């Protein structure tokens, strides 16, 4: 009986050590994820503010480096495709600061993000199409978990919050149809659920 307890203990310690080693200082993390997002944006032109709700499918590749044990620093890109709403294009480049907690086959983590976001908005006024580009600062954070199916491969589930403060590129323009100046601005609060995988090298 004692021998069995010792064997089980050794196997558990070995498995835990193997998983912890993947998040040790000097290792890399490469991953990819997709998400379904529901966002509510209050914004529009200064003369005609509006509110919109959009359902989005996005793809997010990520690369990082473990600067310290269990703490990685990296970059993620987010490319979005809209299934509804007026926005036709959206992309962001964010920093990734991620900390992994201790665990065996499951490693919970917390993260923080900050970076740049770009939006391409299309509106139709009097049968004339205007393409309005906006950009600005985005920041947020999230929580999640890595489910290790192998020593260096995990399936990840993540909940992320992102705030964006966007302004039209080039500033306001003059609308000859309404004889007014217009500028697109937006402050967006978004919650995203990501499902993906990570490879630890």
């Amino acid at each position: 009986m004692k021998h069995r307890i010792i064997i089980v203990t050794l196997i558990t310690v070995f498995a835990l050590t193997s998983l912890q080693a993947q998040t040790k200082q000097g290792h890399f993390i490469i991953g990819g994820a997709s998400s379904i997002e529901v966002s509510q944006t209050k914004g529009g032109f200064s003369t005609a503010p509006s509110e919109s709700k959009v359902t989005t499918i996005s793809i997010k590749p990520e690369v990082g480096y473990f600067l310290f044990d269990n703490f990685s620093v990296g970059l993620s890109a987010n490319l979005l495709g809209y299934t509804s709403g007026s926005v036709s294009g959206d992309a962001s480049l964010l920093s990734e600061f991620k900390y992994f907690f201790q665990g065996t086959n499951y490693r919970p983590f917390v993260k923080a993000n900050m970076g740049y976001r770009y939006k391409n908005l299309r509106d139709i006024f009097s049968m004339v199409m205007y393409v309005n580009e906006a950009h600005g600062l985005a920041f947020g954070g999230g929580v999640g978990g890595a489910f290790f199916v192998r020593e260096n491969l995990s399936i990840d589930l993540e909940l992320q919050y992102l705030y964006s403060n966007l302004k039209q590129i080039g500033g306001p323009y003059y609308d000859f149809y309404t004889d007014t100046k217009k500028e697109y601005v937006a402050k967006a609060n978004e919650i995203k659920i990501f499902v993906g995988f990570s490879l630890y090298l």
Side-chain angles (χ1 to χ4, degrees):
M1 184 65 181
K2 292 182 179 180
H3 293 291
R4 292 182 179 177
I5 295 176
I6 293 174
I7 291 173
V8 171
T9 302
L10 290 175
I11 292 174
T12 302
V13 171
F14 175 77
L16 180 60
T17 303
S18 297
L19 291 176
Q20 306 300 335
Q22 306 307 324
T23 58
K24 289 289 186 180
Q25 180 181 4
H27 282 259
F28 287 89
I29 177 173
I30 300 174
S34 61
S35 75
I36 298 177
E37 170 193 337
V38 178
S39 66
Q40 181 176 357
T41 302
K42 294 182 179 180
F45 295 103
S46 56
T47 57
S50 62
E51 181 177 341
S52 64
K53 294 182 179 180
V54 181
T55 301
T56 309
I57 298 175
S58 64
I59 299 175
K60 181 176 74 73
E62 174 186 341
V63 61
Y65 175 78
F66 284 93
L67 197 61
F68 306 104
D69 289 353
N70 303 319
F71 179 76
S72 66
V73 177
L75 291 173
S76 66
N78 199 354
L79 305 175
L80 293 82
Y82 289 82
T83 58
S84 63
S86 60
V87 181
S88 61
D90 196 325
S92 62
L93 182 63
L94 303 173
S95 58
E96 289 273 343
F97 301 96
K98 187 180 294 185
Y99 179 79
F100 289 83
F101 294 96
Q102 302 294 330
T104 53
N105 293 329
Y106 170 70
R107 301 288 302 277
F109 61 79
V110 294
K111 58 178 290 187
N113 304 97
M114 179 175 289
Y116 172 81
R117 186 169 183 181
Y118 165 86
K119 272 193 176 186
N120 188 326
L121 186 78
R122 294 179 180 271
D123 286 315
I124 298 178
F125 300 100
S126 303
M127 303 303 294
V128 178
M129 172 116 14
Y130 295 96
V131 179
N132 303 289
E133 298 176 304
H135 65 163
L137 178 68
F139 61 88
V143 296
F147 300 85
F148 281 85
V149 294
R150 292 186 180 181
E151 289 185 3
N152 65 338
L153 180 65
S154 68
I155 297 175
D156 306 327
L157 180 63
E158 177 186 324
L159 178 67
Q160 182 187 48
Y161 166 77
L162 191 67
Y163 171 81
S164 304
N165 188 1
L166 308 175
K167 292 185 178 181
Q168 181 176 322
I169 296 176
Y173 71 91
Y174 185 77
D175 188 344
F176 292 96
Y177 291 94
T178 60
D179 194 27
T180 57
K181 288 185 177 181
K182 291 185 176 181
E183 181 180 18
Y184 177 80
V185 295
K187 295 182 179 180
N189 293 279
E190 301 166 341
I191 295 177
K192 304 178 182 180
I193 299 176
F194 287 102
V195 179
F197 70 94
S198 294
L199 182 65
Y200 302 81
L201 304 174

